[in-house]
């Protein structure tokens, strides 16, 4: 059994500025789905040639069409590449993790929608701007071992990518040391990845979607279980996600709790943390978790979500499923449900230019609907204040729930996860939840 298990504080990313369209573009990239609502962004075909030869390399080779994210600058314009300013890594919070001997500390994005553990490294080109980042130097760790022949690559729908080689080292997550954990060292970072404030990513999905080749590697949680670092009865991790907006915390290595001005009068003061190997009794607040089985065949924390409700009116969604994704800020659902949600908000509308639903920023709390999503037989509601995601200008707010396009399942990101204490029970292949106590609601748009 592991010792010194403790909360891992989520630290607000001070450089993160909420933008509805940028968060939506991030999801289009991450899940590679086609939008079904009108707007500037779409998945289009781009011809790529390989193996050409001859004068000016015009002959032979093989052509194939790759689906890439594109943008139309106007209704009659031809689709082209998505500009860098339209994108950002959707990382609102980061968590400290120590790697190597002696330890080097990194601020990582904890993401239940990914299964890679990658970090900035000294193998990046010298021209890479690493200011504000911790860069892992394998030569300074006595426990690092390079994995011969192993490489990794994460590719997004716009063609951006991060890639490099692989090694093993000791990883300290909240006092729990995972020995010989595979870590993916960044050797190349496209602009989208390099622009993020985080030092990398720690995937909490299942290893079947890990990108290391020629053979995928185990995730930190899978190794915690294999090494018996956590009790057999608690082969799990939990997420208690607080609210954004607190500006007084110091970025980087902090012992403070990431709370929020919105929740300063609530019982938990908006604290935000993860735990590994145990369930935090304080966060349960005397409640018994509700569990539902998961289907991890696609590598995600996926479960049945066959109903939703708006102001208590039940909506049948037979056969529907959802995934819980801590690496995503928004909630994405099917178009019919999305329309019904915004039909319940006075003055709400769909905006083609921002490719999302907006509603008036001065909407009173009692005019916002109670929106709940099913988790294997029990519904859990989004907190009303989280229906407002970002300023959309002209007195309008970009909503926290948007269209999933042609994705066959819902994405339940932070907009919904902030309403619960989430338990990711890997040992028993189930997802658990209890309602987070938040009696006061402030639907004002978070400041940039």
């Amino acid at each position: 059994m592991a010792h010194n298990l403790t909360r891992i504080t989520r630290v607000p990313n001070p450089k993160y500025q909420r933008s509805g369209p940028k968060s939506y573009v991030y999801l289009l990239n991450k899940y590679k789905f086609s939008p079904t609502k009108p707007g500037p962004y779409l998945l289009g075909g781009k011809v790529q040639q390989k193996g050409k030869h001859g004068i000016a390399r015009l002959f032979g080779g093989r052509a194939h069409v790759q689906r890439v994210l594109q943008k139309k600058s106007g209704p009659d314009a031809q689709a082209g590449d998505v500009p860098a300013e339209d994108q950002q890594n959707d990382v609102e919070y980061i968590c400290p993790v120590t790697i190597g001997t002696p330890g080097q500390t990194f601020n990582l994005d904890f993401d239940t929608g990914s299964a890679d553990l990658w970090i900035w490294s000294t193998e990046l080109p010298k021209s890479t701007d690493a200011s504000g980042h911790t860069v892992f130097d394998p030569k300074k760790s006595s426990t690092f071992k390079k994995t011969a022949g192993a490489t990794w690559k994460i590719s997004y729908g716009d063609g951006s990518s991060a890639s490099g080689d692989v090694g093993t080292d000791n990883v300290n997550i909240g006092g729990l040391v995972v020995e010989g954990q595979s870590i993916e060292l960044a050797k190349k970072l496209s602009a989208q990845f390099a622009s993020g404030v985080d030092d990398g990513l720690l995937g909490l999905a299942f290893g079947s979607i890990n990108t290391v080749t020629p053979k995928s590697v185990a995730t930190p949680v899978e190794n915690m279980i294999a090494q018996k670092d956590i009790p057999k009865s608690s082969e799990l991790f939990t997420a208690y996600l607080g609210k954004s907006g607190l500006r007084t915390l110091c970025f980087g290595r902090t012992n403070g709790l990431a709370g929020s001005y919105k929740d300063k009068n609530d019982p938990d003061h908006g604290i935000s943390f993860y735990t590994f190997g145990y369930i935090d009794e304080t966060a349960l607040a005397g409640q018994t978790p509700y569990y539902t089985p998961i289907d991890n065949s696609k590598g995600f924390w996926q479960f049945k979500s066959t109903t939703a409700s708006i102001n208590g009116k039940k909506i049948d969604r037979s056969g529907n499923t959802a995934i819980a994704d801590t690496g995503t800020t928004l909630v994405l659902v099917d178009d019919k449900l999305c329309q019904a949600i915004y039909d319940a908000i006075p003055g709400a509308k769909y905006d083609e230019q921002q490719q999302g639903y907006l509603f008036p920023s001065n909407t009173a709390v009692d005019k916002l609907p109670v929106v709940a999503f099913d988790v294997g037989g029990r519904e859990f509601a989004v907190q009303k204040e989280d229906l407002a995601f970002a300023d959309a200008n002209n007195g309008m707010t970009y909503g926290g729930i948007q269209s999933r396009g042609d994705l066959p399942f819902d994405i339940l990101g932070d907009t919904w996860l902030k309403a619960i204490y989430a338990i990711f029970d890997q040992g028993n292949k189930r997802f658990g939840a209890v309602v987070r106590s938040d009696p006061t609601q402030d639907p004002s748009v978070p400041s940039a």
Side-chain angles (χ1 to χ4, degrees):
M1 182 180 295
H3 300 285
N4 301 320
L5 299 181
T6 186
R7 293 178 175 182
I8 302 171
T9 300
R10 293 171 84 224
V11 181
N13 171 0
K15 295 183 180 180
Y16 180 81
Q17 293 188 355
R18 286 191 172 197
S19 164
K22 287 184 179 182
S23 289
Y24 196 66
V25 167
Y26 173 83
L27 282 168
L28 287 169
N29 273 327
K30 183 175 182 178
Y31 288 101
K32 299 180 176 68
F33 64 92
S34 292
T36 49
K37 300 291 291 182
Y41 304 102
L42 69 155
L43 275 188
K46 190 173 185 179
V47 177
Q48 291 193 340
Q49 293 277 358
K50 289 187 176 180
K52 294 187 288 183
H53 62 277
I55 299 174
R57 304 184 65 82
L58 295 176
F59 306 103
R62 177 182 297 176
H64 72 280
V65 178
Q66 182 182 21
R67 279 163 60 86
V68 297
L69 186 65
Q70 297 180 320
K71 180 183 181 182
K72 281 187 174 183
S73 57
D76 300 320
Q78 189 173 356
D81 293 340
V82 179
E85 61 266 22
D86 286 15
Q87 306 176 64
Q88 68 178 358
N89 279 347
D90 205 23
V91 182
E92 192 170 8
Y93 291 93
I94 41 190
C95 297
V97 172
T98 302
I99 299 175
T101 308
Q104 302 169 49
T105 301
F106 302 83
N107 283 315
L108 303 182
D109 174 21
F110 281 23
D111 183 1
T112 59
S114 303
D116 289 83
L117 194 176
W118 72 265
I119 52 175
W120 284 58
S121 82
T122 52
E123 296 184 359
L124 287 164
K126 292 183 179 179
S127 58
T128 304
D129 182 7
S131 57
H133 290 280
T134 299
V135 179
F136 182 71
D137 187 348
K139 294 179 181 179
K140 292 183 178 179
S141 174
S142 63
T143 45
F144 176 83
K145 295 179 182 178
K146 188 168 184 177
T147 306
T151 60
W152 65 280
K153 184 176 182 178
I154 298 173
S155 299
Y156 277 176
D158 63 347
S160 62
S161 64
S163 60
D165 47 28
V166 183
T168 61
D169 211 330
N170 297 338
V171 176
N172 187 320
I173 305 174
L176 193 158
V177 178
V178 184
E179 297 181 350
Q181 171 64 44
S182 289
I183 54 174
E184 300 160 33
L185 308 183
K187 201 170 185 177
K188 294 181 181 179
L189 292 176
S190 61
Q192 181 178 335
F193 286 88
S195 64
V197 72
D198 54 289
D199 302 322
L201 179 144
L202 191 148
L204 295 170
F206 292 86
S208 60
I209 59 172
N210 174 267
T211 70
V212 172
T213 59
K215 183 182 179 182
S216 61
V217 299
T219 66
V221 175
E222 289 169 341
N223 278 329
M224 289 177 193
I225 294 171
Q227 297 177 16
K228 299 182 180 179
D229 293 322
I230 52 181
K232 180 70 176 174
S233 59
S234 300
E235 295 176 345
L236 53 81
F237 63 95
T238 75
Y240 194 85
L241 310 187
K243 304 294 171 60
S244 66
L246 189 65
R247 300 297 179 188
T248 57
L249 285 176
C250 294
F251 169 60
R253 294 52 171 154
T254 176
N255 294 320
L257 291 174
S260 164
Y261 72 92
K262 285 190 175 186
D263 300 311
K264 63 183 179 180
N265 295 320
D266 290 332
D268 62 8
H269 305 294
I271 58 174
S272 187
F273 60 85
Y274 285 87
T275 71
F276 290 82
Y278 76 100
I279 297 173
D280 191 286
E281 292 295 328
T282 303
L284 287 179
Q287 302 176 77
T288 300
Y290 176 81
Y291 290 100
T292 188
I294 61 162
D295 174 5
N296 68 340
S297 60
K298 295 183 178 68
F300 299 122
W301 289 89
Q302 189 166 5
F303 46 80
K304 293 179 180 179
S305 183
T306 58
T307 66
S309 63
I310 303 172
N311 288 330
K313 183 179 179 181
K314 192 85 72 174
I315 299 169
D316 179 56
R317 309 179 74 208
S318 180
N320 189 67
T321 62
I323 69 170
D325 184 0
T326 61
T328 292
T329 52
L330 300 173
V331 163
L332 301 186
V333 298
D334 68 86
D335 288 347
K336 184 178 179 181
L337 176 57
C338 207
Q339 183 67 59
I341 290 169
Y342 289 97
D343 282 346
I345 302 177
K349 65 178 183 178
Y350 182 82
D351 184 278
E352 288 192 21
Q353 185 176 357
Q354 301 198 49
Q355 205 152 347
Y357 284 93
L358 318 179
F359 63 87
S361 301
N362 61 358
T363 303
V365 170
D366 61 0
K367 297 296 183 183
L368 291 172
V370 176
V371 180
F373 300 107
D374 173 42
V375 178
R378 181 179 296 183
E379 290 187 354
F380 292 84
V382 176
Q383 293 183 6
K384 286 188 175 185
E385 64 188 8
D386 292 314
L387 293 173
F389 179 68
D391 181 24
N393 298 320
N394 300 316
M396 300 296 284
T397 291
Y398 191 94
I401 302 173
Q402 298 293 339
S403 166
R404 73 185 193 192
D406 66 355
L407 262 182
F409 49 80
D410 296 342
I411 306 292
L412 299 180
D414 287 4
T415 290
W416 176 77
L417 287 166
K418 288 174 183 176
I420 66 171
Y421 179 37
I423 301 167
F424 297 83
D425 190 341
Q426 198 144 330
N428 293 305
K429 289 186 172 60
R430 60 182 183 172
F431 176 79
V434 298
V435 176
R436 176 177 173 268
S437 177
D438 195 357
T440 61
Q441 294 291 293
D442 177 2
S444 62
V445 178
S447 59

